[in-house]
Amino acid sequence: MEESAFSKLPTKLQETFFELAAIAASKISEILRVEESKLKGLRGLLKFRKVPDGDVGKLRVGVVDGSISPRLSERLGLRMGVYAASYMVFDGDEIISDNDDESMEAGYLMSPQTGSSLHTKKILSLLCTLLERDLALRCMKRYDVDLMLIDGSFYGFRTRCSEIKDKKFRDLGIEGVEFRGKNLEKGIDLVKEIYAKTLSLKRSGKVIGVIKRVRTAAIDGWILSRNWSPEETLNRNDRAILRALMKVGEYFDYVDLLGSKWGYLHFSALKGWFNYVKKTIRDLPESQKLSKALEYVDNKLRLQIVTDLCPSNPPKALENEVFREVIGTRRIYVRLSPYAPPACIEFGDKIDIEWVLSYLRKI
């Protein structure tokens, strides 16, 4: 019988790890007990809708995804990373894009080993996102799809763009930053290209984003806003909470919980920035605390989003457009299987949510 890596450890270490596992299991058991108690109180406060069962007929659906090097290679004295993206098209149950030689593309990025590897990795990630968005537009035009699925949030790429947007690629010694014959000289050029293509996709009336990694904690933010007690929160992201509460065939819409004035990003940020928020609202009467807290969060979110996606000193009209685009994107969760957590879906403009959900229910 082949020895495992664990069995090769000294006996003393094996015994120590077993003891630590027992301690950790006991702690986790207590955490889950407290969490279950909180979830019981939350069940009656959240509204879950039934996934519609409408007849959507035979749809032509496009899907695009991409990937980058999980780790930059530095073996040759330079930092090297590659990226690739591809789309597939389904006509009903049939794949019709197999013979499309232009359905997949790849690229690379090369930079010196000096400077921040985080900047290189971010630029590599943005190049992949740009390729994904470009291929999605190509797919929609070539196949006239009824529905297009993109990977991730429409504006999820914005995180940490502020760190690279003013960087000149030549000054960083980076090679390979060009797209469709267009030379991208600075980080902001890359951000602008992605934003423009994302805007085209979002406004097409045919695109949804499927989000695999959820980091928002708007439900915890909403719980916090009820009595300003962090101890009442679950310290879980929204999908983790909803997985424990949703039944198969149900969906959750943030609008039902939060209303239409403030979005899920506001309440998620309320949780994340609460240490700053509580100083702002500490001396206010209870009737004013929520509005002032969300106004504080709104201003801080605006600054963050504009800093990430806009050039320096942008016109006010551009600031407002970019902020509205990011904040106004609609997001829901739908439970389609007992064996998987709820899927997180973002909707582009003019998309019929019930039509999309009826389709997702049948696949």
Side-chain angles (χ1 to χ4, degrees):
M1 184 176 178
E2 187 177 348
E3 286 186 301
S4 68
F6 184 79
S7 66
K8 294 178 182 178
L9 292 174
T11 303
K12 174 62 178 174
L13 278 181
Q14 292 184 42
E15 292 172 350
T16 300
F17 279 123
F18 277 118
E19 291 169 1
L20 291 172
I23 294 170
S26 176
K27 289 181 178 179
I28 291 172
S29 178
E30 177 60 20
I31 290 170
L32 292 176
R33 186 190 65 78
V34 173
E35 186 176 284
E36 178 59 27
S37 175
K38 292 179 179 179
L39 285 169
K40 283 181 181 178
L42 188 59
R43 273 193 181 94
L45 300 175
L46 302 186
K47 179 179 180 179
F48 301 112
R49 297 174 180 264
K50 291 291 184 184
V51 175
D53 192 21
D55 182 12
V56 296
K58 182 180 178 181
L59 298 183
R60 179 170 288 189
V61 179
V63 184
V64 68
D65 198 1
S67 183
I68 66 172
S69 304
R71 185 180 294 109
L72 296 172
S73 173
E74 301 197 17
R75 293 179 181 176
L76 300 177
L78 292 164
R79 290 191 186 122
M80 298 287 296
V82 297
Y83 60 95
S86 176
Y87 63 75
M88 295 179 69
V89 183
F90 299 83
D91 202 15
D93 295 332
E94 180 187 359
I95 299 174
I96 61 173
S97 56
D98 275 352
N99 296 321
D100 185 347
D101 291 336
E102 295 185 333
S103 67
M104 59 185 70
E105 292 187 32
Y108 77 96
L109 186 67
M110 182 170 66
S111 74
Q113 291 177 326
T114 56
S116 171
S117 61
L118 293 177
H119 290 165
T120 308
K121 195 69 180 282
K122 179 60 182 176
I123 294 166
L124 182 68
S125 174
L126 289 174
L127 283 169
C128 185
T129 301
L130 177 58
L131 182 57
E132 286 181 37
R133 303 295 156 91
D134 188 73
L135 288 181
L137 289 168
R138 176 191 293 174
C139 176
M140 292 172 65
K141 183 177 180 180
R142 180 167 296 180
Y143 292 93
D144 191 25
V145 298
D146 300 301
L147 182 65
M148 187 77 210
L149 279 64
I150 64 170
D151 176 35
S153 168
F154 283 96
Y155 296 108
F157 68 89
R158 72 177 177 87
T159 306
R160 293 182 39 243
C161 281
S162 59
E163 296 176 16
I164 59 92
K165 72 174 190 178
D166 293 325
K167 303 287 185 184
K168 290 184 178 181
F169 297 137
R170 182 176 296 176
D171 292 347
L172 297 175
I174 290 177
E175 300 289 342
V177 186
E178 69 89 27
F179 193 77
R180 304 284 185 246
K182 182 184 293 186
N183 187 37
L184 305 176
E185 296 182 357
K186 296 175 65 176
I188 191 61
D189 299 330
L190 182 52
V191 172
K192 282 181 178 178
E193 286 288 319
I194 300 171
Y195 179 80
K197 292 183 186 298
T198 300
L199 201 59
S200 295
L201 290 168
K202 186 169 177 286
R203 292 180 175 177
S204 69
K206 294 185 175 184
V207 182
I208 63 173
V210 181
I211 301 160
K212 291 177 285 193
R213 288 172 289 278
V214 174
R215 296 181 176 87
T216 49
I219 295 174
D220 252 2
W222 175 80
I223 294 170
L224 188 58
S225 73
R226 301 180 77 215
N227 55 20
W228 309 110
S229 174
E231 294 76 20
E232 298 297 317
T233 63
L234 288 150
N235 290 317
R236 296 286 186 271
N237 67 52
D238 292 334
R239 176 151 55 195
I241 293 173
L242 293 171
R243 181 174 191 169
L245 300 176
M246 291 177 71
K247 298 176 182 176
V248 176
E250 292 182 336
Y251 75 94
F252 169 80
D253 190 339
Y254 281 115
V255 174
D256 289 332
L257 180 68
L258 309 177
S260 56
K261 182 177 181 180
W262 306 104
Y264 65 89
L265 287 178
H266 288 99
F267 280 87
S268 185
L270 180 63
K271 172 72 189 309
W273 293 332
F274 184 63
N275 285 337
Y276 301 100
V277 171
K278 67 182 180 182
K279 296 175 184 177
T280 304
I281 65 173
R282 182 169 46 206
D283 299 324
L284 295 175
E286 286 298 320
S287 60
Q288 296 180 20
K289 284 185 176 180
L290 180 57
S291 61
K292 291 298 181 183
L294 290 171
E295 285 172 10
Y296 173 89
V297 166
D298 187 72
N299 289 331
K300 195 165 181 176
L301 272 175
R302 176 183 287 270
L303 177 62
Q304 185 187 76
I305 290 166
V306 168
T307 303
D308 276 332
L309 295 180
C310 293
S312 301
N313 302 313
K316 200 67 178 178
L318 178 61
E319 281 190 16
N320 291 335
E321 177 203 285
V322 169
F323 182 65
R324 283 197 308 269
E325 279 295 323
V326 176
I327 290 296
T329 305
R330 192 167 184 181
R331 181 181 288 194
I332 70 163
Y333 295 81
V334 56
R335 190 79 185 264
L336 299 169
S337 167
Y339 309 110
C344 181
I345 310 291
E346 273 191 2
F347 290 85
D349 302 344
K350 300 176 289 186
I351 283 270
D352 185 332
I353 290 180
E354 295 209 347
W355 176 76
V356 171
L357 291 175
S358 294
Y359 166 73
L360 293 175
R361 180 173 184 148
K362 290 175 170 56
I363 59 174

